[in-house]
Amino acid sequence: MTQYHIRSATPEDVAAIKQFIVELAIYEKAEHEVLATEADLHDSLFGEKSNITGLMCECDDELVGFAVFFYNYSTWLGKRGVYLEDLYVTPKARGKGAGRHLLQYLAHHAVTEGCGRFEWSVLDWNKPAIDFYQQLGAKPMSEWIGYRLEGDALQALAERHESLS
């Protein structure tokens, strides 16, 4: 069985994280949406105001994947939760346990930290990922629809608030 080592990301990992993000975006058919620079990633992961945690997955001293997560909160549970923003495993390491190892690590972290939930999103067309997650016991939240404000729409709503002040 392949041995994986999970460790906290360091500032020296930023270039690898950026590369993994681009590879993930290519897989998700959204490479054009990656706007983050290495400086953005360094600041958001390691800056003074960071509330984001990065994990690196290694096999034989080679990086084969990463995960980025943060804490969210459930008022219904009265507890924090872990929200997995991104999980990526290189193509050559897929199907060999790296993704499972990262998710097991995060589940253990969530339980150890007293979190009530461990959540993430998956694209509806990504059947290999959906099948994998369901094998782990994860269930889709089909009754919830995600919403997002970004770009011009985010700016316009923010400006409406400013005009009320």
Side-chain angles (χ1 to χ4, degrees):
M1 183 174 186
T2 306
Q3 294 294 312
Y4 295 102
H5 172 69
I6 307 294
R7 63 171 176 79
S8 294
T10 67
E12 291 74 29
D13 293 316
V14 168
I17 292 169
K18 168 72 180 205
Q19 181 60 40
F20 285 161
I21 291 168
V22 170
E23 290 174 20
L24 175 61
I26 290 168
Y27 176 77
E28 293 183 346
K29 301 171 180 71
E31 181 181 8
H32 62 283
E33 294 183 35
V34 177
L35 303 177
T37 65
E38 287 185 23
D40 294 331
L41 294 170
H42 185 277
D43 185 53
S44 63
L45 286 166
F46 306 106
E48 187 177 306
K49 295 181 181 181
S50 178
N51 64 346
I52 311 299
T53 301
L55 300 173
M56 307 305 291
C57 181
E58 297 176 326
C59 181
D60 298 326
D61 296 321
E62 180 182 351
L63 293 175
V64 296
F66 88 113
V68 175
F69 73 94
F70 56 89
Y71 293 104
N72 58 13
Y73 183 75
S74 168
T75 56
W76 290 12
L77 295 177
K79 294 183 177 190
R80 293 186 308 169
V82 167
Y83 187 84
L84 175 62
E85 176 62 26
D86 275 335
L87 174 87
Y88 177 75
V89 173
T90 60
K92 73 178 187 177
R94 288 183 196 147
K96 298 179 181 173
R100 180 180 302 271
H101 200 74
L102 278 160
L103 288 170
Q104 288 170 336
Y105 183 98
L106 284 162
H108 182 266
H109 176 80
V111 168
T112 301
E113 292 294 311
C115 296
R117 293 180 177 158
F118 175 25
E119 300 174 298
W120 61 91
S121 297
V122 62
L123 290 166
D124 61 1
W125 57 260
N126 192 346
K127 183 154 175 39
I130 292 167
D131 291 346
F132 171 61
Y133 298 145
Q134 289 180 346
Q135 287 174 6
L136 297 175
K139 304 220 180 322
M141 298 187 324
S142 58
E143 69 275 12
W144 294 92
I145 298 173
Y147 280 84
R148 176 183 296 166
L149 275 173
E150 62 185 357
D152 292 340
L154 176 61
Q155 187 65 37
L157 187 60
E159 288 170 2
R160 286 185 203 123
H161 170 75
E162 290 174 1
S163 70
L164 297 175
S165 300

